Amino acid sequence: MKILRTIGEAQKLTTSLRKKNKTIGFVPTMGYLHEGHLSLVKAARKKADVVIVSIYVNPLQFGPKEDLSKYPRDFKRDELLCRKAEVDYIFYPDDKQMYPDKFSTYVTVENITSILEGRIRPEHFKGVTTIVLKLFNIVQPHFSVFGQKDAQQVAVIKKMNADLNVNTKIIVSPTVREADGLAMSSRNVYLTKEQRADAPYLQKSLQYAKRKILLEGYNKDIEFLEGQMSKLIKSRKTATKIDYISFNDYYTLEEIKSLKNSNNSAILISLAVRFGKVRLIDNIVIKR
Ligand code: PAF
C-alpha cells in the first residue's frame, strides 16, 4: 500500500491506471476509520482492480460553529486499517494541496441542499460537492462508494454527477451498526456513557415507523408517526434536541406530506438529534 500526498502524483498514477484499463474503485473519507468505512472498502475491493481511499478532513464542509478543530484524527491507525483491508493507495493531501491561496471555485447543487441537513447546516453541501468533485477529478475513479447513512449526501452527489456529466458510478453501501442498532460514526467517540446508552433510540424510532407502515399500511398519518417517534426519542434524558424528523422520496428527496396518496417507490425517513453538543443522524428506507 502506498500513500499519495500530492495531487500531481495521484493524478499521474490514476491516468496511467486508466490507460492500462485497470478499474479504479474509490472510497472518499475524512479518516478516523471505523467498521462503516471498512465495509465501503470491502464493497470497492470486490469490484475494483485498484482501491483508492482518500483521507482528508475537508474544512469547507464544516460550519463556523462546528467541530473542525476537534474532529477526531489518527492517521497511523487509519493507515494500519487500510493496509489490513487491502487498500492499494491512500490519497492523503493537506489543506495547501486542496485549497491553495486564491482558491475561488465552488460547486453548488440547488434545492435539495437547502432541506434536511442543509437547513441546519447551510454551507455544508457546497463544501461536500466541491471537495468530492475535486477528488473525482484527481482520483478518476470508475466507481465510488458512499454510505447509506448519509442518504442526503448520496442524493446530492448523484444529482451533481447527473447535472455535470461526471463520469463515475455511485455505489451505495448499507449502514453498519453497533450491536444495539446505533449507526457507526466517527462522532460516536464524543458521546458520554449516558448519551451512548440513549443514542440507539434513533434507530429504534425509525424501526417503529417502518413497522407501523409495513404492518398497518400506507394510510398511516405522517404527523402521527413523527409525533410517536419524537415521543420515543424525547423519553431519553440525554436527547436534548430533535433538529428534524422527515419523510422524503428516497431518490428525489421531495418531501412526502401524506402516505395515503403517495406513489413513491422508496421512502426515506431521516432524522437528526442532538445529545448535548453531539449531533447524530440516521435514516431508514422503505421500499414498496
Ligand atoms: O462522508 C464523508 O466523510 C465526507 O462528506 C466526504 C464524502 C469524504 C467528503 O469530505
Side-chain angles (χ1 to χ4, degrees):
M1 188 184 75
K2 279 201 177 132
I3 296 160
L4 309 163
R5 289 174 195 269
T6 68
I7 294 171
E9 59 184 324
Q11 248 169 354
K12 197 170 153 200
L13 168 85
T14 54
T15 302
S16 102
L17 288 171
R18 277 199 163 243
K19 272 193 194 139
K20 289 180 202 150
N21 282 327
K22 298 283 182 201
T23 306
I24 305 171
F26 178 44
V27 181
T29 81
M30 297 209 297
Y32 213 71
L33 305 180
H34 51 67
E35 284 301 320
H37 296 111
L38 298 177
S39 76
L40 308 183
V41 171
K42 213 170 170 183
R45 188 67 284 171
K46 271 191 199 150
K47 296 187 179 196
D49 295 317
V50 178
V51 174
I52 304 182
V53 169
S54 66
I55 296 182
Y56 178 61
V57 182
N58 172 34
L60 213 61
Q61 68 190 76
F62 287 77
K65 287 188 192 145
E66 292 177 14
D67 52 354
L68 172 62
S69 64
K70 288 202 203 109
Y71 196 83
R73 293 162 168 89
D74 189 344
F75 183 68
K76 282 282 150 232
R77 187 174 152 274
D78 289 346
E79 196 184 337
L80 210 75
L81 289 172
C82 283
R83 212 178 278 283
K84 271 198 201 152
E86 294 176 27
V87 169
D88 297 296
Y89 296 92
I90 298 180
F91 177 51
Y92 184 52
D94 61 15
D95 289 342
K96 268 202 186 135
Q97 283 283 315
M98 297 313 273
Y99 299 113
D101 284 350
K102 300 198 176 126
F103 181 91
S104 61
T105 304
Y106 302 91
V107 181
T108 307
V109 173
E110 292 186 345
N111 303 324
I112 60 168
T113 53
S114 52
I115 57 171
L116 305 172
E117 284 302 286
R119 200 167 55 75
I120 313 288
R121 309 174 72 191
E123 294 290 294
H124 173 67
F125 286 113
K126 177 179 160 190
V128 171
T129 42
T130 300
I131 196 68
V132 168
L133 187 59
K134 277 172 73 69
L135 290 167
F136 285 168
N137 285 331
I138 296 163
V139 176
Q140 306 182 66
H142 294 86
F143 69 87
S144 304
V145 192
F146 290 84
Q148 165 69 38
K149 187 179 145 262
D150 296 300
Q152 189 177 11
Q153 171 169 279
V154 170
V156 169
I157 290 168
K158 281 186 173 170
K159 185 80 177 88
M160 170 186 82
N161 281 6
D163 287 352
L164 299 182
N165 313 100
V166 182
N167 192 14
T168 185
K169 194 173 168 213
I170 302 299
I171 291 179
V172 187
S173 203
T175 304
V176 178
R177 299 182 180 281
E178 304 285 356
D180 58 9
L182 175 64
M184 290 204 184
S185 161
S186 305
R187 290 190 168 97
N188 291 352
V189 293
Y190 300 139
L191 294 168
T192 63
K193 207 169 146 222
E194 292 73 23
Q195 291 167 338
R196 173 66 190 79
D198 287 346
Y201 274 75
L202 268 56
Q203 183 55 203
K204 278 197 173 86
S205 73
L206 290 161
Q207 289 287 354
Y208 161 83
K210 182 174 179 174
R211 244 186 352 260
K212 278 273 179 210
I213 293 169
L214 292 181
L215 293 177
E216 294 177 26
Y218 283 81
N219 55 0
K220 272 292 4 121
D221 187 346
I222 286 185
E223 249 174 63
F224 168 80
L225 291 173
E226 282 177 1
Q228 294 298 105
M229 289 170 72
S230 169
K231 248 192 215 165
L232 201 59
I233 293 166
K234 283 182 186 154
S235 73
R236 310 322 298 169
K237 220 173 57 231
T238 66
T240 43
K241 186 168 185 270
I242 299 176
D243 277 347
Y244 63 83
I245 296 174
S246 188
F247 287 60
N248 300 71
D249 181 274
Y250 175 55
Y251 301 103
T252 63
L253 294 190
E254 213 165 281
E255 194 184 348
I256 302 171
K257 297 217 166 79
S258 159
L259 290 172
K260 267 179 218 158
N261 306 318
S262 80
N263 55 359
N264 315 74
S265 60
I267 297 168
L268 171 75
I269 313 178
S270 60
L271 46 72
V273 177
R274 293 178 198 256
F275 293 82
K277 284 190 178 147
V278 191
R279 187 172 178 280
L280 300 180
I281 60 171
D282 201 353
N283 65 67
I284 206 163
V285 179
I286 305 171
K287 291 204 169 145
R288 290 214 212 208

